[in-house]
Every structure is written in C-alpha cells, then in structure tokens.
Amino acid sequence: MRRARVLNFQQITMPYLAAFVPSNWEVIHIDEAESPVDIALKVDLVGITFHTPSAFHVYKLAAQFRKRAIPVVLGGPHVTLMPDEAQAYADVIFVGEAEYQWPQFLRDFETGKYAHRYSANIPPTLEDAPMARKELFHRRDYTAGRLFASRGCAYGCDFCTLAVMYQRKVRKRPIAAVAAEYASFRGKVIIFWDDNLANDREYAKALFRAIEPCKKWWSSQASIHAGEDEEFLELAARSGCKQLFIGLESISQASMNEVHKGFNRVETYARVIERIHAYGIAVQAGIVFGFDNDMESIFDETLDFLEAVGVQNATFNILTPYPGTRLYQRLETEGRILTRDWSKYNSRDDVVFRPQNMSPETLLEGYRYANWRFYSCKSIYQRLSRSPVGLWWTLPLNLVYMSAFRYYGQ
Ligand code: B12
C-alpha cells in the first residue's frame, strides 16, 4: 500500500508488466494510493508489487485472495530482497526483474502448470522494453508522464538496495523508444523513474537531444556527477529539465565515507549546486540522517547548508537498513536492529535501528525538525531568494509542502 502524500505519483510497474500480457486477457489495475482493493473481485490471477514497508499489508491482502482459491503472484523490491519470506505468502514469486520470465509464466499459467518461483538469473537487456499501458494509469488524461530510460546504478552504497537488486548492472533502453514514449504523453510534465540518469552521461546527452523537440518539462534522479558535467547540464536544460533530484545524502564527509559513498565530496556540493542553478535547473536534495558519524548537530548544520546554497526542495529520510543491504548486515551483526516489523521501514515515521551518537527518539525528532524548518516561511524565503531558479513553480510547491507538514504531518 502506498500512503497518499502531497504528490501522489503515478505507479508504472503494473501498467508496464501489463504490456507483456497477451491481448486476449483482461487486466484490471488498482493502485492503493488511489482506491482500495475490492477483495471480492472476480479474477483468475492476482499480481502485486510492493516496497518493504508494505510487505505485511500485502501478505494479508494476498491471503484474502488465496482463501478464495485465486492464485497470487508477488514481485518487486521486497520479494527480490526477501524471497524466502515472500514465498510463504504467495503461489508464485518473481525474484528480480521479470522481462524474461513474466511472459513465460503467463504461458505456463494458461496451461495450468507453472513454477512457484521465477528468478532472473540474467539481467534483461531492456532493448525491447515496451511502453507501459497508459489506459491503466490512474490519471486517465496521461498528464502524469512517468517512464524510465535506464535501470540500475553503477555505484554500491551500503544503504541502497539497488546494488543488491541489480548487481550494479546498468541497462538502457534504445533512445528512440524512450523518446517515442516521452512524446506519447499528452501532459507537459514528465518524470524519469531512473535510478541515476547520470550513470552513462553520453547516453543521457543523446537522449536529451532526442527529446528536446517535444518541448516538455522533466525531472529525474541523478548522482552528483550530473552537476560536474557542463555539457550534460546544458543539454538537459535545453531539453526541458526543470529539476534534478541529487542524492547528496549528507553534508558530513565522514558519514559518506562510512557508507561507501565517498565519491560524494562534500567540499564540492556548493559549487555543484551553483552550477546546476546556473543552467536554470532547480535542485531537490536527497538527505539522510542517522549515519554513525552523525552527531546531534547534524540537523542544524544540514539546514544551515541547504539554506546558504539556496536548495529549492529536499527529501529528508531517516537512515533505514533495508533487508539485503550491507547496512542491514552490519547493524544486525552489531545487534543494533530494533525491529523487523517491515511496516516501520518507511524512512519517515520510525527509527528501526539504534543510532551510534544519538537516541532513536532524537533521530526522529531531528528528522521532523528538518522538515519543519526547511518548509518554514523563513527558510523558504532564504532559500528561494538566494536562488530564484524556477520561482514560479518552486514557491507554490514549497508552500504546499509547508501546509502539508504543518496540517497533515506529512
Ligand atoms: C518510482 C519509485 C517510487 C515511487 C512509486 C512507487 C511505485 N511502486 O511505482 C514512490 C515515489 C511512491 C516511491 C516510494 C518509496 N520508495 Co521507491 N522507488 C521508485 C523507483 C525509483 C522506480 C520503481 C519503478 O517504477 N521502476 C520501473 C518498473 C518497471 O520496475 P520495477 O518496479 O523494479 O519492476 C520490475 C521488477 O522489480 C519486477 N516486478 C516488480 N513488481 C512486480 C510484481 C509482479 C507481480 C511481477 C511478476 C514482477 C514484478 O518486474 C519489473 C520488470 O522487471 C525505485 C528504484 C528501482 N529501480 O526499482 C525505488 C525503490 C523501489 N524505492 C525504494 C524506497 C526505499 C521507497 C520508499 C520507502 C522511500 C521513502 N522514504 O518514502 C517509498 C515507499 C513507498 C511505500 N510505502 O511502499 C527502494 C526500495 C526499498 C525496498 N526495500 O523496498 C528503491 C529500490 C530505491 C532505492 N534506491 O533503494 N518509490
């Protein structure tokens, strides 16, 4: 289940998997962030994708369908990370990427004989990746343009599940196919659900040239390397890039080194952000609190920095040791995992491990304080006057977040 937030993002996993389903099958797509699941649905097969925080909820949902003898197929990040656990709650599980095995399973299902586990031993090429089926999007006007060009990340940071899920193998779709999907959305605002669009900057530059004529606006996640390449930024800006989500993670170099993300050089952050702004691109900083090297002062230090450089948006997270990651293994060995209630692995409302230099309560309070301070009138004024890039949309968005944090606690 995805809790509805201020910005309710279009889910593409199931509309994408639906594109592999034979045309004589009828597909119903329910996104729980939009509407509840009717467990009395008359269907032959149920497929569910989910992240770790939704695991227990999904297991209960699966049980309700299975009670009615409807087979349930589970896949997605949590299943890939915890296959043996998920297997107990499903008729079939998909471990890893499904491009090769999903069509095979659908054929097997039609014959009535199928395996209980399909594992992606070879990472799929994505050469023939189809477009997600838009008629299954919850925004039927297709203004919510969401797609991916590449998959995977070349880096192996301890806290990130990607290195485990994709073994650091970056794959790319053909540029013409991505550009065609990009152009096919009626709306103007597009998000690339890529893990790191700066993985292969030459590929990204060719993509930017191909999508420029569409005159749409887009945003994506990218590592800090995006801001070190002037040509990347220039072509990105020309093709309509309005914001880059940059995984800064921490303003403490010791913290970055500790989790093997030492390629983030804290002393370059201000310069990189300034350079991205110079191309008219806003920065959304991804920040994580709770590393072993974080002291209680980290919250104010981080906010002082974000305000001084004029970052337009930020996503704060509480460090969360997702199962399967090196971080999880280390904290488990050190006896510091406080709970295995996956619903608490949400990075926002709960601290699931014992931090080194503060109590779990201080970490949670510090995280809340960061959101509260970042989305306060004073901070918004300070940041957006320091760097008024895209003020016409960054200001309203900041105000929406401000009211959300104040009135809805999001
Ligand atoms: C888009 C996205 C989101 C979106 C939308 C989520 C969605 N379901 O569409 C939003 C912003 C809501 C989101 C939220 C969160 N996300 Co997220 N998200 C992503 C992202 C960037 C892309 C997912 C995507 O659409 N990929 C494209 C589709 C086509 O690929 P796919 O989903 O991987 O599916 C493939 C296979 O996994 C498989 N498959 C998947 N599901 C199923 C189901 C069946 C039945 C079958 C057969 C196959 C199958 O088949 C597909 C084709 O190969 C991924 C990174 C990634 N590469 O996965 C992170 C990622 C999945 N998210 C992550 C995290 C941590 C979160 C949050 C906890 C963050 C937070 N602090 O709030 C929340 C959790 C939300 C919740 N309550 O569940 C982690 C996963 C951690 C985990 N253990 O679950 C990832 C891997 C990012 C990372 N760097 O670690 N996320």
Side-chain angles (χ1 to χ4, degrees):
M1 181 182 59
R2 301 193 297 121
R3 195 178 66 183
R5 301 185 72 86
V6 178
L7 295 178
N8 193 4
F9 294 112
Q10 174 64 49
Q11 206 261 94
I12 60 166
T13 303
M14 299 321 275
Y16 172 71
L17 288 173
F20 293 87
V21 174
S23 55
N24 60 331
W25 289 44
E26 189 196 339
V27 180
I28 302 167
H29 175 223
I30 302 164
D31 182 341
E32 281 196 286
E34 274 299 297
S35 54
V37 176
D38 173 7
I39 47 145
L41 267 178
K42 289 198 175 65
V43 289
D44 301 308
L45 180 66
V46 169
I48 311 177
T49 185
F50 57 100
H51 292 50
T52 294
S54 304
F56 292 165
H57 165 74
V58 167
Y59 296 156
K60 281 193 206 131
L61 198 60
Q64 303 194 59
F65 284 107
R66 296 180 81 202
K67 212 157 60 190
R68 292 174 49 217
I70 299 171
V72 172
V73 190
L74 300 181
H78 189 73
V79 179
T80 299
L81 298 165
M82 299 291 288
D84 294 338
E85 176 191 286
Q87 186 86 70
Y89 300 92
D91 296 282
V92 182
I93 60 162
F94 272 75
V95 184
E97 297 159 82
E99 275 79 2
Y100 293 160
Q101 280 85 5
W102 174 237
Q104 177 62 49
F105 162 72
L106 296 172
R107 282 193 296 273
D108 295 349
F109 186 76
E110 280 182 329
T111 69
K113 276 198 188 128
Y114 50 86
H116 296 296
R117 184 181 289 208
Y118 291 78
S119 302
N121 300 321
I122 314 162
T125 67
L126 303 185
E127 278 296 315
D128 302 315
M131 285 190 200
R133 276 174 54 179
K134 289 192 198 55
E135 81 279 11
L136 299 174
F137 280 20
H138 60 243
R139 289 283 293 270
R140 292 296 159 85
D141 55 359
Y142 314 145
T143 50
R146 307 285 180 259
L147 77 166
F148 65 92
S150 65
R151 182 181 293 163
C153 180
Y155 303 95
C157 312
D158 286 2
F159 56 88
C160 185
T161 55
L162 294 176
V164 190
M165 287 162 59
Y166 305 131
Q167 298 126 43
R168 301 172 70 172
K169 293 201 170 64
V170 179
R171 270 75 37 70
K172 290 153 277 185
R173 293 174 66 195
I175 285 170
V178 181
E181 184 164 8
Y182 184 90
S184 74
F185 294 105
R186 281 185 216 139
K188 200 170 166 70
V189 182
I190 310 286
I191 300 182
F192 285 101
W193 274 153
D194 285 46
D195 301 310
N196 176 7
L197 203 54
N199 264 317
D200 178 342
R201 290 193 288 288
E202 294 316 307
Y203 168 85
K205 289 172 196 174
L207 176 64
F208 301 158
R209 289 191 182 96
I211 61 174
E212 190 187 334
C214 295
K215 304 249 174 287
K216 293 182 190 289
W217 299 329
W218 63 266
S219 167
S220 176
Q221 294 189 111
S223 57
I224 196 150
H225 306 99
E228 292 163 356
D229 185 330
E230 300 264 2
E231 193 188 20
F232 178 101
L233 292 174
E234 192 191 324
L235 291 168
R238 255 203 273 147
S239 67
C241 178
K242 293 287 166 226
Q243 176 163 274
L244 287 173
F245 182 112
I246 306 281
L248 297 181
E249 322 299 2
S250 179
I251 58 146
S252 153
Q253 190 62 50
S255 295
M256 288 293 77
N257 297 346
E258 157 202 326
V259 290
H260 297 104
K261 193 160 183 171
F263 63 81
N264 265 15
R265 304 301 308 163
V266 172
E267 77 266 16
T268 68
Y269 284 6
R271 216 165 45 243
V272 165
I273 291 167
E274 206 170 305
R275 194 176 300 132
I276 298 174
H277 285 163
Y279 286 91
I281 299 171
V283 171
Q284 173 152 8
I287 300 288
V288 179
F289 294 121
F291 296 110
D292 280 1
N293 280 281
D294 287 357
M295 305 293 163
E296 286 186 25
S297 55
I298 192 71
F299 306 105
D300 270 318
E301 285 163 8
T302 304
L303 269 292
D304 289 349
F305 170 79
L306 297 174
E307 285 166 358
V309 293
V311 159
Q312 284 78 11
N313 288 297
T315 301
F316 299 103
N317 283 294
I318 298 165
L319 183 67
T320 301
Y322 286 101
T325 58
R326 274 207 301 269
L327 178 67
Y328 185 91
Q329 284 158 16
R330 177 166 68 78
L331 293 178
E332 189 172 46
T333 311
E334 293 169 5
R336 293 166 61 195
I337 301 282
L338 296 174
T339 174
R340 283 170 187 80
D341 173 352
W342 304 137
S343 67
K344 295 196 157 76
Y345 282 61
N346 49 56
S347 310
R348 290 190 173 155
D349 300 320
D350 297 280
V351 176
V352 299
F353 73 104
R354 197 153 23 78
Q356 187 89 291
N357 288 308
M358 60 185 96
S359 66
E361 293 74 25
T362 305
L363 176 52
L364 185 60
E365 272 163 33
Y367 159 83
R368 288 185 178 147
Y369 161 77
N371 276 305
W372 177 87
R373 175 167 156 189
F374 190 84
Y375 290 110
S376 65
C377 285
K378 191 172 162 214
S379 179
I380 294 172
Y381 174 76
Q382 228 169 315
R383 291 182 287 104
L384 303 190
S385 55
R386 166 80 178 81
S387 177
V389 168
L391 196 60
W392 58 272
W393 69 269
T394 58
L395 179 59
L397 189 63
N398 269 266
L399 295 175
V400 167
Y401 274 119
M402 182 171 77
S403 50
F405 281 113
R406 274 162 182 62
Y407 303 114
Y408 307 111
Q410 289 199 11

